[in-house]
Amino acid sequence: MTLAEFHQKHSKSGLDSLGKSQTFKAKVQGFSGEPVLVERLKEMGLHPGLELLALGQAPFGGPLLFRFGNTVLALRQEEAACTLIEIL
């Protein structure tokens, strides 16, 4: 799959639907899902317009890893699914 095909396929999807071993930049577009999870994500520093760098996934099916600024954030699958993004 080319980068253009990847971008088109995953534009405005949840962070959890992306390739676990791929590094990419994305911009948070918003949130969906349970209000408790959305509030937790906001408390962790995520907000619409924030650009993040996906680093991959922790070993043995662990959380997905993201970097923004000087922060590395580990999100469980259900938290990542609530975060709607656009690939940059």
Side-chain angles (χ1 to χ4, degrees):
M1 176 183 304
T2 68
L3 184 58
E5 291 169 333
F6 178 82
H7 183 282
Q8 186 175 28
K9 180 180 178 185
H10 296 295
S11 183
K12 294 189 180 175
S13 60
L15 281 174
D16 67 321
S17 65
L18 301 168
K20 311 304 188 260
S21 62
Q22 295 175 331
T23 300
F24 59 90
K25 286 181 73 172
K27 182 185 283 190
V28 176
Q29 296 295 309
F31 304 97
S32 68
E34 295 183 38
V36 173
L37 287 178
V38 171
E39 186 62 30
R40 184 180 303 151
L41 291 167
K42 290 178 180 179
E43 289 172 354
M44 286 189 248
L46 296 179
H47 57 83
L50 178 70
E51 291 185 13
L52 8 120
L53 177 65
L55 302 174
Q57 185 172 16
F60 307 109
L64 300 166
L65 305 173
F66 302 93
R67 178 187 305 266
F68 61 96
N70 292 327
T71 303
V72 174
L73 184 63
L75 295 178
R76 296 177 297 178
Q77 293 291 329
E78 64 180 354
E79 294 167 335
C82 291
T83 308
L84 304 176
I85 53 104
E86 178 179 4
I87 302 296
L88 299 178

